[in-house]
């Protein structure tokens, strides 16, 4: 199949419309079968639940071209399950069994020319989302919903790719105890926009959020979980009920323990122990693993000695193994890779 004529090697993380997207609607208690459409625009009522009360949640996953030319996605079943978890918390009807995975297959097939070739560093980002489409003025769930899944080819999330970034400890909170930090609700991102713009204006690439209750524990950034490496090579990740259960992080912890034989630990990570770690990375679908070189704590710099100028050695090993699994150069654990036949 002929690929689209795009400059794959210098792609940024931005929206570029592709051929087709999947759309299904929920009304009167059930979802319709859904279908592909070329129309990238949505027309809806001014009083739609999403517009008035931000009743929406989303997912993010990628399609890759493997070394032997197959098109695959990575653990899409976990995105399907997490979207349903988000829906339940937001009083949005969950998708029927199989619809999410069917939409992924159909949309990737229809946009196969936009799945970047192997070795370019670019990938096809898939954005599934559901929103309250029907009108609602009292604060209650919308009477109708739309599920959509579009794609856009993307490059690295952070400018500079694998160059370690500097982040700051945020004075704004991301998620309240017993709130919505553990789901992928649009509202979590809306309320982070002020903080991220402010971080950028101060010269930082991202915010490190602390737990809102005590402001002593590391949570996550606006769009990725943390991994830390100790002096003796242990992989540590924060445990918290108010962070998003990242599929990348869960996969990396398995890779670290089962494939690389590293010690791993998911536990509370205190801000005051940051200086004890020698490497730090942000992990997520968009971020993959983006190395963090420095954390700025209100003017005090915390540096990660093994990852200041380039990705540290343990982070690199994790990065290479994960991307190797995704691109077919490393054998994948059972069930992690879903091939989409496109010819
Ligand atoms: N944390 C937040 C707040 C995110 O938005 C994301 C992105 O999806 C992640 C973590 C990483 O999750 P995943 O690895 O499932 O993409
Ligand atoms: C993803 O990694 O898929 C996300 O949704 C994060 C977002 C900040 C782009």
């Amino acid at each position: 199949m002929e690929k689209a004529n795009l400059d794959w090697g210098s792609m940024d993380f931005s929206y570029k419309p592709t051929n087709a997207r999947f759309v299904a609607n929920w009304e009167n208690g059930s979802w319709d079968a859904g279908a592909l459409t070329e129309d990238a625009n949505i027309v809806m009522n001014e009083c739609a639940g999403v517009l008035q009360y931000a009743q929406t949640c989303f997912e993010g996953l990628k399609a890759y071209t493997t070394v032997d030319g197959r098109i695959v996605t990575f653990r899409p079943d976990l995105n399907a399950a997490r979207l349903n978890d988000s829906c339940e918390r937001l009083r949005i009807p969950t998708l029927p069994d199989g619809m999410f995975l069917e939409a992924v297959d159909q949309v990737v097939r229809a946009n196969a020319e936009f799945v970047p070739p192997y070795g370019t560093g670019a990938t096809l980002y898939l954005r599934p989302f559901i929103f309250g489409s029907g009108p609602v003025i009292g604060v209650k769930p919308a009477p109708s919903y739309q599920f959509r899944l579009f794609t856009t080819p993307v490059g690295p999330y952070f400018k500079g790719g694998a160059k370690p970034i500097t982040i700051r400890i945020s004075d704004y909170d991301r998620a309240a105890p017993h709130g919505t930090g553990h789901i992928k609700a649009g509202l979590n991102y809306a309320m982070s926009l002020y903080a991220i713009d402010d971080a950028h204006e101060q010269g930082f690439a991202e915010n490190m959020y602390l737990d809102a209750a005590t402001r002593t524990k590391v949570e996550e950034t606006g769009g990725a979980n943390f991994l830390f490496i100790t002096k003796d090579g242990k992989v540590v990740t924060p445990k918290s009920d108010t962070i998003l259960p990242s599929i990348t992080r869960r996969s990396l912890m398995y890779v670290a323990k089962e494939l690389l034989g590293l010690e791993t630990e998911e536990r509370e990570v205190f801000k005051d122990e940051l200086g004890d770690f020698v490497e730090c990375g942000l992990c997520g679908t968009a971020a993959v693993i983006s190395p963090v070189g420095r954390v700025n704590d209100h003017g005090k710099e915390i540096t990660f000695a093994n990852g200041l100028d380039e990705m540290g050695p343990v982070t690199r090993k994790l990065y290479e193994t994960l991307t190797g699994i995704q691109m077919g150069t490393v054998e994948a654990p059972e069930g992690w890779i879903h091939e989409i036949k496109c010819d």
Side-chain angles (χ1 to χ4, degrees), residues 65-132:
T65 304
T66 62
V67 64
D68 54 357
R70 292 172 301 126
I71 291 182
V72 301
T73 52
F74 181 72
R75 311 190 77 180
D77 50 317
L78 298 188
N79 294 97
R82 194 173 60 187
L83 185 64
N84 275 351
D85 291 344
S86 298
C87 285
E88 284 191 353
R89 179 65 175 80
L90 297 175
R91 287 290 192 198
I92 293 174
T94 55
L95 292 182
D97 276 357
M99 182 182 271
F100 184 96
L101 297 177
E102 181 55 34
V104 167
D105 283 14
Q106 285 192 27
V107 173
V108 170
R109 232 176 253 129
N111 296 302
E113 64 179 294
F114 291 100
V115 184
Y118 174 77
T120 56
T123 50
L124 186 69
Y125 186 69
L126 278 59
R127 173 53 62 88
F129 62 112
I130 307 188
F131 58 94

Side-chain angles (χ1 to χ4, degrees), residues 130-326:
I130 307 188
F131 58 94
S133 52
V136 65
I137 194 72
V139 177
K140 59 184 177 189
S144 54
Y145 295 85
Q146 184 166 112
F147 166 56
R148 256 185 187 245
L149 195 165
F150 68 79
T151 68
T152 178
V154 295
Y157 190 67
F158 292 105
K159 281 194 214 85
K163 197 118 192 69
I165 55 174
T166 299
I167 65 175
R168 68 152 187 204
I169 292 185
S170 174
D171 287 330
Y172 302 98
D173 293 327
R174 193 192 84 91
H178 315 293
T180 56
H182 61 299
I183 60 161
K184 224 163 151 50
L187 61 93
N188 292 344
Y189 300 80
M191 53 73 82
S192 75
L193 298 176
Y194 188 91
I196 191 66
D197 270 3
D198 188 54
H200 289 160
E201 277 160 24
Q202 313 286 326
F204 302 107
E206 254 294 358
N207 287 299
M208 170 182 274
Y209 291 103
L210 303 179
D211 73 294
T214 70
R215 304 196 55 78
T216 59
K217 291 177 268 186
V218 175
E219 294 254 290
E220 60 176 330
T221 66
N225 284 179
F226 279 106
L227 288 182
F228 299 99
I229 313 297
T230 64
K231 285 188 187 73
D232 50 0
K234 189 194 286 182
V235 184
V236 176
T237 194
K239 186 178 174 69
S240 162
D241 292 339
T242 47
I243 64 175
L244 192 77
S246 158
I247 294 163
T248 315
R249 183 254 299 167
R250 284 181 270 163
S251 304
L252 284 166
M253 294 302 275
Y254 180 92
V255 163
K257 186 160 189 261
E258 305 297 335
L259 306 189
L260 302 177
L262 299 170
E263 230 188 297
T264 57
E265 196 171 27
E266 186 182 352
R267 62 161 168 87
E268 291 182 333
V269 172
F270 289 85
K271 176 183 87 119
D272 289 348
E273 62 173 314
L274 282 174
D276 297 344
F277 298 115
V278 294
E279 294 178 45
C280 170
L282 300 180
C283 60
T285 300
V288 192
I289 309 182
S290 300
V292 177
R294 293 179 167 80
V295 177
N296 190 295
D297 180 6
H298 303 89
K300 191 180 115 214
E301 279 228 321
I302 301 154
T303 55
F304 301 106
N306 294 357
L308 271 181
D309 301 320
E310 54 183 46
M311 197 183 277
V314 179
T315 309
R316 175 161 298 283
K317 194 79 204 136
L318 287 167
Y319 175 88
E320 282 170 359
T321 311
L322 177 74
T323 53
I325 289 170
Q326 291 164 338

